[in-house]
Coordinates of all heavy atoms in Angstrom, one line a residue:
Chain A
E301 N -10.2 14.7 -69.7 CA -8.9 15.2 -69.2 C -9.0 16.6 -68.7 O -9.4 17.5 -69.4 CB -7.9 15.1 -70.3 CG -6.5 15.6 -70.0 CD -5.6 15.8 -71.3 OE1 -6.2 15.5 -72.3 OE2 -4.5 16.1 -71.1
D330 N 6.6 36.7 -73.3 CA 7.5 35.8 -72.6 C 8.8 36.5 -72.4 O 9.1 37.5 -73.1 CB 7.6 34.5 -73.5 CG 8.1 33.4 -72.6 OD1 8.5 33.5 -71.5 OD2 8.0 32.2 -73.2
Y331 N 9.6 36.0 -71.5 CA 10.9 36.6 -71.2 C 11.8 35.9 -72.3 O 11.7 34.8 -72.6 CB 11.3 36.2 -69.8 CG 10.5 36.9 -68.8 CD1 9.3 36.4 -68.4 CD2 10.8 38.2 -68.3 CE1 8.4 37.1 -67.5 CE2 10.0 38.9 -67.4 CZ 8.8 38.3 -67.0 OH 8.0 39.0 -66.1
S332 N 12.8 36.7 -72.8 CA 13.7 36.2 -73.8 C 15.0 36.0 -73.2 O 15.3 36.4 -72.1 CB 13.8 37.2 -74.9 OG 14.9 38.1 -74.7
P333 N 15.9 35.2 -73.9 CA 17.2 35.0 -73.4 C 18.1 36.3 -73.4 O 19.2 36.3 -72.8 CB 17.8 34.0 -74.3 CG 16.8 33.7 -75.4 CD 15.7 34.6 -75.2
V334 N 17.6 37.3 -74.0 CA 18.4 38.6 -74.0 C 17.9 39.5 -72.9 O 16.7 39.8 -72.9 CB 18.3 39.2 -75.4 CG1 19.2 40.5 -75.5 CG2 18.6 38.3 -76.5
V339 N 9.7 38.8 -75.7 CA 9.1 38.2 -76.8 C 7.6 38.6 -76.8 O 7.0 38.3 -75.7 CB 9.3 36.7 -76.9 CG1 8.5 36.1 -78.0 CG2 10.7 36.3 -77.0
I340 N 7.1 39.2 -77.8 CA 5.6 39.5 -77.8 C 4.9 38.3 -78.5 O 5.2 38.0 -79.7 CB 5.3 40.8 -78.5 CG1 6.2 41.9 -78.0 CG2 3.8 41.1 -78.4 CD1 5.9 43.3 -78.6
K341 N 4.1 37.5 -77.8 CA 3.5 36.4 -78.4 C 2.3 36.8 -79.2 O 1.8 38.0 -79.1 CB 3.1 35.4 -77.2 CG 4.3 34.9 -76.5 CD 4.0 33.9 -75.4 CE 3.7 32.5 -76.1 NZ 3.6 31.4 -75.0
P342 N 1.7 35.9 -80.0 CA 0.7 36.3 -81.0 C -0.5 37.0 -80.3 O -1.0 38.0 -80.9 CB 0.2 35.0 -81.6 CG 1.5 34.2 -81.6 CD 2.2 34.5 -80.3
Y345 N 0.7 40.4 -79.6 CA 1.1 41.2 -80.8 C -0.2 41.6 -81.5 O -0.2 42.7 -82.2 CB 2.0 40.3 -81.7 CG 2.6 41.2 -82.7 CD1 3.8 41.9 -82.4 CD2 2.1 41.3 -84.0 CE1 4.4 42.8 -83.4 CE2 2.7 42.1 -85.0 CZ 3.8 42.8 -84.6 OH 4.4 43.7 -85.6
E349 N -1.1 45.1 -83.2 CA -1.6 45.3 -84.5 C -2.9 46.2 -84.6 O -3.0 47.1 -85.4 CB -1.9 44.0 -85.2 CG -0.6 43.3 -85.6 CD -0.9 42.0 -86.4 OE1 -1.8 41.3 -86.1 OE2 -0.1 41.7 -87.3
K360 N -2.2 59.4 -90.3 CA -2.2 59.8 -91.8 C -3.2 60.9 -92.0 O -3.1 61.7 -92.9 CB -2.6 58.5 -92.6 CG -1.3 57.6 -92.8 CD -1.6 56.4 -93.6 CE -0.3 55.7 -93.9 NZ -0.5 54.2 -94.0
E365 N 3.2 61.2 -93.4 CA 3.4 60.0 -94.2 C 4.5 59.1 -93.5 O 5.4 59.6 -92.9 CB 4.0 60.4 -95.6 CG 3.0 61.2 -96.4 CD 3.6 61.6 -97.8 OE1 4.6 62.3 -97.8 OE2 3.1 61.1 -98.8
N366 N 4.3 57.8 -93.7 CA 5.3 56.9 -93.1 C 6.5 56.7 -94.0 O 6.5 56.8 -95.2 CB 4.6 55.5 -93.0 CG 3.6 55.5 -91.8 OD1 3.7 56.3 -90.9 ND2 2.7 54.5 -91.8
A367 N 7.6 56.5 -93.3 CA 8.9 56.3 -94.0 C 9.7 55.4 -93.1 O 9.2 54.9 -92.1 CB 9.6 57.6 -94.2
Y368 N 11.0 55.1 -93.5 CA 11.8 54.3 -92.7 C 13.3 54.8 -92.7 O 13.8 55.0 -93.7 CB 11.8 52.8 -93.1 CG 12.6 51.9 -92.2 CD1 12.0 51.5 -91.0 CD2 13.9 51.6 -92.4 CE1 12.7 50.7 -90.1 CE2 14.6 50.8 -91.5 CZ 14.0 50.4 -90.3 OH 14.7 49.7 -89.4
F369 N 13.8 55.0 -91.5 CA 15.2 55.5 -91.3 C 16.0 54.4 -90.6 O 15.5 53.5 -89.9 CB 15.2 56.7 -90.4 CG 14.5 57.9 -91.1 CD1 13.1 58.0 -91.1 CD2 15.2 58.8 -91.9 CE1 12.4 59.0 -91.7 CE2 14.5 59.8 -92.5 CZ 13.1 60.0 -92.4
P370 N 17.3 54.4 -90.9 CA 18.2 53.3 -90.4 C 18.1 53.1 -88.9 O 18.0 54.0 -88.1 CB 19.6 53.7 -90.8 CG 19.4 54.6 -92.0 CD 18.1 55.4 -91.7
L371 N 18.3 51.8 -88.5 CA 18.4 51.4 -87.1 C 19.6 52.0 -86.4 O 19.6 52.3 -85.2 CB 18.5 49.9 -87.1 CG 18.8 49.1 -85.8 CD1 17.6 49.2 -84.9 CD2 19.2 47.7 -86.1
F372 N 20.7 52.1 -87.2 CA 22.0 52.5 -86.6 C 22.2 54.0 -86.8 O 21.9 54.6 -87.8 CB 23.1 51.8 -87.3 CG 23.1 50.3 -87.0 CD1 23.3 49.4 -88.1 CD2 22.8 49.8 -85.8 CE1 23.3 48.0 -87.9 CE2 22.8 48.4 -85.6 CZ 23.0 47.5 -86.6
F377 N 26.6 61.6 -84.2 CA 25.3 62.3 -84.3 C 24.7 62.6 -83.0 O 24.1 63.7 -82.8 CB 24.3 61.5 -85.2 CG 24.6 61.6 -86.7 CD1 25.8 61.8 -87.2 CD2 23.5 61.5 -87.5 CE1 26.1 61.9 -88.5 CE2 23.7 61.6 -88.9 CZ 25.0 61.8 -89.4
P390 N 23.9 57.2 -71.8 CA 24.1 56.1 -70.8 C 23.2 54.9 -71.0 O 23.4 53.9 -70.4 CB 23.6 56.9 -69.5 CG 23.6 58.3 -69.8 CD 23.4 58.4 -71.3
T392 N 22.4 53.5 -74.2 CA 22.4 53.0 -75.6 C 23.1 51.6 -75.7 O 23.9 51.3 -74.8 CB 23.2 53.9 -76.5 OG1 24.5 54.2 -75.9 CG2 22.5 55.2 -76.7
A393 N 22.7 50.9 -76.7 CA 23.5 49.7 -77.1 C 24.4 50.1 -78.3 O 23.9 50.8 -79.2 CB 22.5 48.6 -77.6
V394 N 25.6 49.7 -78.2 CA 26.6 50.2 -79.1 C 27.2 49.1 -80.0 O 27.7 48.0 -79.5 CB 27.8 50.9 -78.4 CG1 28.8 51.5 -79.4 CG2 27.2 52.0 -77.5
V395 N 27.1 49.3 -81.3 CA 27.7 48.3 -82.2 C 29.1 48.7 -82.5 O 29.4 49.8 -83.0 CB 26.9 48.3 -83.6 CG1 27.6 47.3 -84.6 CG2 25.5 47.8 -83.3
T396 N 30.1 47.9 -82.2 CA 31.5 48.2 -82.5 C 32.1 47.4 -83.6 O 33.1 47.8 -84.1 CB 32.3 47.9 -81.2 OG1 32.1 46.5 -80.8 CG2 31.9 48.8 -80.0
H397 N 31.4 46.3 -84.0 CA 32.0 45.4 -85.0 C 30.9 45.2 -86.1 O 29.8 44.9 -85.8 CB 32.5 44.1 -84.5 CG 33.7 44.3 -83.6 ND1 33.7 44.8 -82.4 CD2 35.0 43.9 -83.9 CE1 34.9 44.8 -81.9 NE2 35.7 44.3 -82.8
G398 N 31.4 45.2 -87.4 CA 30.5 44.9 -88.4 C 31.2 44.1 -89.5 O 32.4 44.4 -89.8
G399 N 30.6 43.0 -90.0 CA 31.3 42.2 -91.1 C 32.6 41.7 -90.6 O 33.5 41.6 -91.5
L403 N 34.6 48.6 -86.3 CA 34.2 49.8 -87.1 C 35.0 51.0 -86.8 O 35.4 51.2 -85.7 CB 32.7 50.1 -86.8 CG 31.7 49.0 -87.0 CD1 30.3 49.4 -86.6 CD2 31.7 48.6 -88.5
R410 N 19.3 52.9 -82.4 CA 18.5 54.0 -82.1 C 17.7 53.9 -80.8 O 16.9 53.0 -80.7 CB 17.5 54.3 -83.3 CG 16.5 53.1 -83.5 CD 15.5 53.4 -84.7 NE 15.0 52.1 -85.1 CZ 14.8 51.7 -86.3 NH1 15.1 52.5 -87.3 NH2 14.3 50.5 -86.6
S419 N 19.5 64.7 -89.9 CA 20.6 64.7 -90.9 C 20.0 64.5 -92.3 O 20.6 65.0 -93.2 CB 21.6 63.6 -90.5 OG 21.1 62.3 -90.9
M420 N 18.9 63.8 -92.4 CA 18.3 63.6 -93.7 C 17.4 64.9 -94.1 O 17.5 65.3 -95.2 CB 17.4 62.4 -93.8 CG 18.1 61.1 -93.5 SD 19.6 60.7 -94.5 CE 18.9 60.7 -96.2
K423 N 19.1 67.5 -95.9 CA 19.2 67.3 -97.4 C 17.9 67.6 -98.1 O 17.9 68.0 -99.3 CB 19.6 65.8 -97.7 CG 21.0 65.4 -97.3 CD 21.2 63.9 -97.5 CE 21.2 63.5 -99.0 NZ 21.5 62.0 -99.1
W424 N 16.8 67.3 -97.4 CA 15.5 67.4 -98.1 C 14.9 68.7 -98.1 O 14.0 69.0 -99.0 CB 14.6 66.4 -97.5 CG 15.0 64.9 -97.6 CD1 16.0 64.4 -98.4 CD2 14.5 63.8 -96.9 NE1 16.2 63.1 -98.2 CE2 15.2 62.6 -97.3 CE3 13.4 63.6 -96.0 CZ2 14.9 61.4 -96.8 CZ3 13.2 62.3 -95.5 CH2 13.9 61.2 -95.9
K429 N 8.7 75.8 -99.8 CA 7.8 74.9 -100.5 C 7.9 73.4 -100.0 O 7.1 72.6 -100.2 CB 8.0 74.9 -102.0 CG 7.6 76.2 -102.7 CD 7.8 76.1 -104.1 CE 7.5 77.5 -104.8 NZ 7.9 77.5 -106.2
I435 N 6.6 63.4 -91.2 CA 7.1 62.0 -91.3 C 6.8 61.2 -90.0 O 7.0 61.8 -88.9 CB 8.6 62.0 -91.6 CG1 8.9 62.8 -92.9 CG2 9.1 60.6 -91.7 CD1 8.6 62.1 -94.2
N440 N 11.3 49.5 -84.1 CA 11.9 49.1 -82.8 C 12.9 50.0 -82.4 O 13.7 50.6 -83.2 CB 12.4 47.6 -82.9 CG 13.5 47.5 -84.0 OD1 13.5 48.3 -85.0 ND2 14.3 46.5 -84.0
W444 N 18.9 50.8 -73.0 CA 19.4 49.8 -72.1 C 18.9 50.1 -70.6 O 19.5 50.9 -70.0 CB 20.9 49.8 -72.1 CG 21.4 48.5 -71.9 CD1 22.0 47.9 -70.8 CD2 21.5 47.4 -72.9 NE1 22.3 46.6 -71.0 CE2 22.0 46.3 -72.3 CE3 21.1 47.3 -74.2 CZ2 22.2 45.1 -72.9 CZ3 21.3 46.1 -74.9 CH2 21.8 45.0 -74.2
E456 N 14.3 46.7 -75.5 CA 13.8 47.0 -76.8 C 12.3 47.1 -76.7 O 11.6 46.3 -76.0 CB 14.2 45.8 -77.7 CG 13.7 46.0 -79.2 CD 13.8 44.8 -80.1 OE1 13.9 43.7 -79.5 OE2 13.8 44.9 -81.3
L458 N 8.6 48.5 -79.2 CA 8.1 48.9 -80.5 C 7.3 50.2 -80.3 O 6.6 50.4 -79.3 CB 7.2 47.9 -81.1 CG 7.8 46.5 -81.2 CD1 6.8 45.5 -81.8 CD2 9.1 46.5 -82.0
Chain B
E77 N 7.3 79.8 -113.6 CA 8.6 79.3 -113.1 C 8.7 77.8 -113.5 O 7.9 76.9 -113.2 CB 8.6 79.3 -111.5 CG 9.8 78.7 -110.9 CD 9.6 78.6 -109.4 OE1 8.5 78.9 -108.9 OE2 10.6 78.2 -108.7
D106 N 16.8 57.2 -100.2 CA 17.9 58.1 -100.2 C 19.1 57.3 -99.5 O 18.8 56.3 -98.7 CB 17.6 59.3 -99.4 CG 18.5 60.5 -99.7 OD1 19.5 60.3 -100.4 OD2 18.2 61.6 -99.4
Y107 N 20.3 57.8 -99.7 CA 21.4 57.2 -99.1 C 21.5 57.8 -97.7 O 21.3 58.9 -97.5 CB 22.7 57.5 -99.9 CG 22.6 56.8 -101.2 CD1 22.0 57.4 -102.3 CD2 23.2 55.5 -101.4 CE1 21.9 56.7 -103.5 CE2 23.1 54.8 -102.6 CZ 22.5 55.5 -103.7 OH 22.4 54.8 -104.9
S108 N 21.9 56.9 -96.7 CA 21.9 57.4 -95.3 C 23.4 57.6 -94.9 O 24.3 57.1 -95.6 CB 21.3 56.4 -94.4 OG 22.2 55.4 -93.9
P109 N 23.6 58.3 -93.8 CA 25.0 58.5 -93.3 C 25.6 57.2 -92.8 O 26.8 57.1 -92.6 CB 24.9 59.5 -92.2 CG 23.4 59.8 -92.0 CD 22.6 58.9 -92.9
V110 N 24.8 56.1 -92.6 CA 25.3 54.9 -92.1 C 25.6 54.0 -93.3 O 24.7 53.7 -94.1 CB 24.3 54.2 -91.2 CG1 24.9 53.0 -90.6 CG2 23.9 55.2 -90.1
V115 N 17.6 55.0 -96.5 CA 16.4 55.6 -95.9 C 15.3 55.4 -96.9 O 15.5 55.7 -98.1 CB 16.6 57.2 -95.8 CG1 15.3 57.8 -95.4 CG2 17.6 57.5 -94.7
I116 N 14.2 54.8 -96.5 CA 13.0 54.6 -97.4 C 12.1 55.8 -97.3 O 11.6 56.0 -96.2 CB 12.3 53.3 -97.1 CG1 13.3 52.1 -97.0 CG2 11.2 53.0 -98.2 CD1 12.6 50.8 -96.7
K117 N 12.0 56.6 -98.4 CA 11.2 57.8 -98.3 C 9.7 57.4 -98.4 O 9.4 56.3 -98.8 CB 11.6 58.7 -99.4 CG 13.1 59.2 -99.2 CD 13.5 60.2 -100.2 CE 13.1 61.6 -99.9 NZ 13.6 62.6 -100.8
P118 N 8.8 58.4 -98.1 CA 7.4 58.0 -98.1 C 6.9 57.3 -99.3 O 6.1 56.4 -99.2 CB 6.7 59.4 -97.9 CG 7.7 60.1 -97.0 CD 9.0 59.7 -97.6
Y121 N 8.2 53.8 -99.2 CA 7.6 53.1 -98.1 C 6.1 52.7 -98.3 O 5.7 51.7 -97.8 CB 7.7 53.9 -96.8 CG 7.5 53.1 -95.5 CD1 8.6 52.3 -95.1 CD2 6.3 53.0 -94.9 CE1 8.4 51.4 -94.0 CE2 6.1 52.2 -93.8 CZ 7.2 51.4 -93.4 OH 7.0 50.6 -92.3
E125 N 4.2 49.3 -97.7 CA 3.0 49.1 -96.9 C 1.9 48.3 -97.7 O 1.2 47.5 -97.2 CB 2.4 50.5 -96.6 CG 3.1 51.2 -95.4 CD 2.5 52.5 -95.0 OE1 2.0 53.2 -95.8 OE2 2.5 52.8 -93.8
K136 N -1.8 35.2 -93.0 CA -2.8 34.9 -92.0 C -3.7 33.8 -92.5 O -4.2 32.9 -91.7 CB -3.5 36.1 -91.5 CG -2.6 37.0 -90.6 CD -3.3 38.2 -90.1 CE -2.5 38.9 -89.1 NZ -2.6 40.4 -89.1
E141 N 0.3 33.2 -87.3 CA 0.0 34.4 -86.5 C 1.3 35.3 -86.4 O 2.4 34.7 -86.3 CB -0.4 34.0 -85.1 CG -1.7 33.3 -85.1 CD -2.1 32.9 -83.7 OE1 -1.4 32.1 -83.0 OE2 -3.2 33.3 -83.2
N142 N 1.1 36.6 -86.3 CA 2.3 37.5 -86.1 C 2.7 37.5 -84.7 O 1.9 37.5 -83.8 CB 1.9 38.8 -86.6 CG 1.9 38.9 -88.2 OD1 2.5 38.0 -88.8 ND2 1.2 39.9 -88.7
A143 N 4.0 37.7 -84.5 CA 4.6 37.9 -83.1 C 5.8 38.8 -83.3 O 6.1 39.3 -84.4 CB 4.9 36.5 -82.6
Y144 N 6.5 39.0 -82.1 CA 7.7 39.8 -82.2 C 8.8 39.2 -81.3 O 8.6 38.9 -80.1 CB 7.5 41.2 -81.8 CG 8.7 42.1 -82.1 CD1 9.0 42.5 -83.4 CD2 9.6 42.4 -81.1 CE1 10.2 43.2 -83.6 CE2 10.8 43.1 -81.3 CZ 11.0 43.5 -82.6 OH 12.2 44.2 -82.9
F145 N 10.0 38.9 -81.9 CA 11.1 38.4 -81.2 C 12.2 39.4 -81.1 O 12.3 40.3 -82.0 CB 11.6 37.1 -81.8 CG 10.6 36.0 -81.8 CD1 9.6 35.9 -82.7 CD2 10.6 35.1 -80.8 CE1 8.6 34.9 -82.7 CE2 9.6 34.1 -80.7 CZ 8.6 34.0 -81.7
P146 N 13.1 39.4 -80.1 CA 14.1 40.4 -79.9 C 15.0 40.6 -81.1 O 15.4 39.7 -81.8 CB 14.9 40.0 -78.7 CG 13.9 39.1 -77.9 CD 13.1 38.4 -79.0
L147 N 15.5 41.9 -81.3 CA 16.4 42.3 -82.3 C 17.8 41.6 -82.0 O 18.5 41.3 -83.0 CB 16.6 43.8 -82.2 CG 17.7 44.5 -83.0 CD1 17.3 44.4 -84.5 CD2 17.8 45.9 -82.5
F148 N 18.1 41.5 -80.8 CA 19.5 41.0 -80.4 C 19.5 39.5 -80.2 O 18.5 38.9 -79.5 CB 20.0 41.7 -79.1 CG 20.1 43.2 -79.3 CD1 19.7 44.0 -78.3 CD2 20.8 43.7 -80.4 CE1 19.9 45.4 -78.4 CE2 20.9 45.1 -80.6 CZ 20.5 45.9 -79.6
F153 N 24.1 31.7 -79.5 CA 23.0 31.0 -80.2 C 23.4 30.7 -81.6 O 23.0 29.7 -82.2 CB 21.8 31.9 -80.1 CG 21.0 31.8 -78.9 CD1 21.7 31.5 -77.7 CD2 19.6 32.0 -78.8 CE1 21.0 31.4 -76.5 CE2 18.9 31.9 -77.6 CZ 19.6 31.6 -76.5
P166 N 30.2 36.0 -90.6 CA 31.0 37.0 -91.3 C 30.2 38.3 -91.6 O 30.8 39.3 -91.9 CB 31.4 36.3 -92.6 CG 31.2 34.9 -92.3 CD 30.1 34.8 -91.4
T168 N 27.7 39.8 -89.7 CA 26.8 40.3 -88.6 C 27.4 41.7 -88.1 O 28.5 42.0 -88.2 CB 26.8 39.4 -87.4 OG1 28.1 39.0 -87.0 CG2 26.0 38.1 -87.7
A169 N 26.4 42.4 -87.5 CA 26.8 43.6 -86.7 C 26.7 43.2 -85.3 O 25.8 42.5 -84.8 CB 25.8 44.7 -87.0
V170 N 27.8 43.5 -84.5 CA 27.9 43.0 -83.1 C 27.8 44.1 -82.1 O 28.6 45.1 -82.2 CB 29.2 42.2 -83.0 CG1 29.3 41.6 -81.6 CG2 29.3 41.1 -84.1
V171 N 26.9 43.9 -81.1 CA 26.8 44.9 -80.0 C 27.7 44.4 -78.9 O 27.6 43.3 -78.4 CB 25.4 45.0 -79.5 CG1 25.3 45.9 -78.3 CG2 24.4 45.5 -80.6
T172 N 28.7 45.2 -78.5 CA 29.6 44.8 -77.5 C 29.4 45.6 -76.2 O 29.8 45.2 -75.1 CB 31.1 45.1 -77.9 OG1 31.2 46.4 -78.3 CG2 31.5 44.2 -79.1
H173 N 28.7 46.8 -76.3 CA 28.5 47.6 -75.1 C 27.0 47.9 -75.0 O 26.3 48.2 -76.0 CB 29.3 48.9 -75.2 CG 30.7 48.7 -75.1 ND1 31.5 48.1 -76.1 CD2 31.6 49.0 -74.1 CE1 32.8 48.0 -75.7 NE2 32.9 48.6 -74.5
G174 N 26.5 47.9 -73.7 CA 25.1 48.3 -73.5 C 25.1 49.1 -72.1 O 25.7 48.6 -71.2
G175 N 24.3 50.2 -72.1 CA 24.2 50.9 -70.9 C 25.5 51.4 -70.3 O 25.7 51.5 -69.1
L179 N 29.5 44.3 -72.5 CA 28.6 43.2 -72.2 C 29.4 41.9 -71.9 O 30.5 41.7 -72.5 CB 27.7 42.9 -73.4 CG 26.8 44.1 -73.8 CD1 26.0 43.7 -75.0 CD2 25.9 44.5 -72.7
L183 N 26.3 40.5 -78.4 CA 25.0 40.3 -79.0 C 25.1 40.6 -80.5 O 25.8 41.5 -80.9 CB 23.9 41.2 -78.4 CG 23.7 41.1 -76.9 CD1 22.8 42.2 -76.4 CD2 23.1 39.7 -76.6
R186 N 20.0 40.7 -85.3 CA 19.5 39.6 -86.1 C 19.8 39.7 -87.6 O 19.3 40.7 -88.2 CB 18.0 39.4 -85.8 CG 17.2 40.5 -86.3 CD 15.7 40.3 -86.0 NE 15.1 41.7 -86.1 CZ 14.2 42.1 -85.2 NH1 13.7 41.3 -84.2 NH2 13.7 43.3 -85.3
S195 N 14.9 29.0 -79.7 CA 15.1 28.9 -78.2 C 13.8 29.2 -77.5 O 13.6 28.6 -76.4 CB 16.2 30.0 -77.8 OG 15.6 31.3 -77.8
M196 N 12.9 30.0 -78.1 CA 11.6 30.2 -77.4 C 10.7 29.0 -77.7 O 10.0 28.5 -76.8 CB 10.9 31.4 -78.0 CG 11.7 32.7 -77.7 SD 12.2 33.0 -76.0 CE 10.6 33.0 -75.1
K199 N 10.7 26.3 -75.3 CA 9.9 26.5 -74.1 C 8.4 26.3 -74.4 O 7.6 25.9 -73.5 CB 10.0 27.9 -73.6 CG 11.4 28.3 -73.0 CD 11.5 29.8 -72.7 CE 10.5 30.2 -71.6 NZ 10.7 31.7 -71.3
W200 N 8.0 26.6 -75.6 CA 6.5 26.6 -75.9 C 5.9 25.3 -76.3 O 4.7 25.0 -76.2 CB 6.2 27.6 -77.0 CG 6.6 29.0 -76.6 CD1 6.9 29.5 -75.3 CD2 6.6 30.2 -77.5 NE1 7.2 30.9 -75.4 CE2 7.0 31.3 -76.7 CE3 6.4 30.4 -78.8 CZ2 7.2 32.6 -77.2 CZ3 6.6 31.7 -79.3 CH2 7.0 32.8 -78.5
K205 N -0.1 18.5 -79.1 CA -1.3 19.4 -79.1 C -0.8 20.9 -79.4 O -1.6 21.7 -79.8 CB -2.0 19.4 -77.8 CG -2.9 18.2 -77.6 CD -3.6 18.2 -76.3 CE -4.4 16.9 -76.1 NZ -4.9 16.9 -74.7
I211 N 4.3 30.8 -86.9 CA 4.6 32.2 -86.4 C 5.2 33.0 -87.6 O 6.0 32.4 -88.3 CB 5.6 32.1 -85.2 CG1 4.9 31.4 -84.1 CG2 6.0 33.5 -84.8 CD1 3.9 32.1 -83.2
N216 N 13.0 44.4 -89.1 CA 14.2 44.8 -89.7 C 15.3 43.8 -89.4 O 15.3 43.2 -88.3 CB 14.7 46.2 -89.2 CG 14.8 46.3 -87.7 OD1 14.2 45.5 -87.0 ND2 15.5 47.3 -87.2
W220 N 25.8 42.6 -92.8 CA 26.9 43.6 -93.2 C 27.4 43.3 -94.6 O 28.3 42.4 -94.8 CB 28.0 43.5 -92.2 CG 28.6 44.8 -92.0 CD1 29.7 45.3 -92.5 CD2 28.0 45.9 -91.2 NE1 30.0 46.6 -92.1 CE2 28.9 47.0 -91.3 CE3 26.9 46.1 -90.4 CZ2 28.7 48.2 -90.7 CZ3 26.7 47.3 -89.8 CH2 27.6 48.3 -89.9
E232 N 20.9 46.9 -93.8 CA 19.7 46.7 -93.1 C 18.5 46.7 -94.1 O 18.5 47.4 -95.0 CB 19.4 47.9 -92.1 CG 18.1 47.7 -91.3 CD 17.7 49.0 -90.5 OE1 18.1 50.1 -90.8 OE2 16.8 48.8 -89.6
L234 N 14.1 45.4 -94.5 CA 12.8 45.1 -93.9 C 12.3 43.8 -94.5 O 12.4 43.7 -95.8 CB 11.8 46.2 -94.0 CG 12.2 47.6 -93.5 CD1 11.1 48.6 -93.7 CD2 12.7 47.5 -92.1

Side-chain angles (χ1 to χ4, degrees):
Chain A
E301 178 190 1
D330 203 347
Y331 295 85
S332 89
V334 185
V339 172
I340 309 179
K341 297 185 80 173
Y345 196 79
E349 285 184 323
K360 283 179 174 149
E365 294 181 298
N366 286 338
Y368 188 80
F369 295 84
L371 171 71
F372 297 134
F377 278 31
T392 52
V394 183
V395 176
T396 54
H397 289 73
L403 301 178
R410 61 178 163 225
S419 78
M420 299 310 297
K423 288 172 69 178
W424 298 348
K429 290 182 183 170
I435 300 282
N440 53 341
W444 216 260
E456 182 191 17
L458 306 181
Chain B
E77 177 190 1
D106 202 346
Y107 295 85
S108 90
V110 185
V115 173
I116 309 179
K117 297 185 81 174
Y121 196 80
E125 286 185 321
K136 284 180 173 149
E141 293 181 299
N142 286 339
Y144 187 79
F145 295 85
L147 171 71
F148 297 135
F153 279 29
T168 53
V170 184
V171 176
T172 55
H173 289 72
L179 300 177
L183 299 173
R186 63 181 160 223
S195 78
M196 300 309 299
K199 289 172 68 179
W200 298 348
K205 288 181 184 170
I211 300 282
N216 54 341
W220 215 259
E232 182 190 17
L234 306 182

